[in-house]
Amino acid sequence: MRLVLFDLDTTLVDRAEGFRRWAWEFCAEHRLADADAAWLVAADDRGRADRATFFKNLREHFDLQEPDLEDAYRERHPALVPAAPGVLAGLPRLRAAGWRIGVLGEGEPQLSTLLCTGIAGLVDGWALAGPDGLSTSDPKLFGLVAERCETTLDHAWFVGADVGPARSAGLRTVRVGPDRDPAAAIALLLES
């Protein structure tokens, strides 16, 4: 059985759109202006901003005293992240073509994203760096998700932005760049 592993954040979901949705909700809830949503998006730096620093800056910028802003974000944001275009239709096509499908993610909130988007029901297994005790660069994470998909890494593929760790683990790779077209990657796998 063939196996493909997808990175969740950079491939299967649109985290940036989820953050934009959160920013608009946050601004509406706190009666902030449209420009403030743009400030939040810029301060997020496409998810690269350290969360503690981001929320410290947010409190200072908007003079907010609420202590639980970060907890509220961690709870709400995963529910706002949509699946990337073509994913919800493409994953069943891969399964129908005989592929096992695994997902790699990072951190507990990504489990909520898997569940809220409906992706969890379309894949055979997943592993999350952090909660599963491994880092995203640890080759054991690939083996763990393969095991959960009830297969091995023999002839497995990885689809994501950072393909270095997957190549180090001996996987074939499809790099999905900033334009993030997972539908094209799925079509490529279906042709292989």
Side-chain angles (χ1 to χ4, degrees):
M1 179 138 311
R2 297 180 293 177
L3 172 67
V4 59
L5 305 177
F6 288 94
D7 181 73
L8 182 64
D9 251 0
T10 63
T11 307
L12 296 180
V13 299
D14 189 345
R15 185 222 171 262
E17 177 58 27
F19 188 84
R20 279 189 290 276
R21 292 174 181 181
W22 175 84
W24 283 104
E25 276 191 7
F26 182 86
C27 287
E29 180 181 329
H30 291 86
R31 296 189 174 134
L32 301 172
D34 292 352
D36 295 323
W39 183 91
L40 290 165
V41 169
D44 176 57
D45 192 23
R46 295 168 58 191
R48 293 184 294 240
D50 173 72
R51 290 298 93 187
T53 302
F54 171 82
F55 281 99
K56 177 183 175 288
N57 293 340
L58 179 149
R59 281 185 185 87
E60 289 173 3
H61 186 81
F62 297 112
D63 194 28
L64 298 173
Q65 303 305 315
E66 298 171 49
D68 62 345
L69 290 175
E70 190 168 357
D71 291 338
Y73 165 81
R74 288 183 194 281
E75 184 176 316
R76 181 66 179 139
H77 179 253
L80 297 171
V81 177
V87 166
L88 298 179
L91 293 178
R93 289 179 55 218
L94 278 173
R95 275 179 135 180
W99 287 86
R100 292 270 187 187
I101 304 168
V103 176
L104 297 166
E106 184 172 0
E108 192 68 38
Q110 292 205 335
L111 177 57
S112 295
T113 299
L114 273 168
L115 296 170
C116 290
T117 58
I119 292 171
L122 302 176
V123 302
D124 299 292
W126 59 80
L128 302 174
D132 283 318
L134 302 168
S135 75
T136 54
S137 60
D138 191 331
K140 292 177 188 171
L141 194 64
F142 298 106
L144 179 60
V145 74
E147 182 180 306
R148 289 177 177 172
C149 291
E150 299 179 352
T151 189
T152 67
L153 290 176
D154 295 337
H155 311 292
W157 287 80
F158 173 78
V159 180
D162 181 7
V163 298
R167 283 187 181 151
S168 295
L171 280 69
R172 297 176 190 166
T173 61
V174 177
R175 186 180 182 286
V176 178
D179 59 343
R180 299 175 357 113
D181 187 2
I186 290 170
L188 178 71
L189 291 167
L190 286 168
E191 292 171 7
S192 68

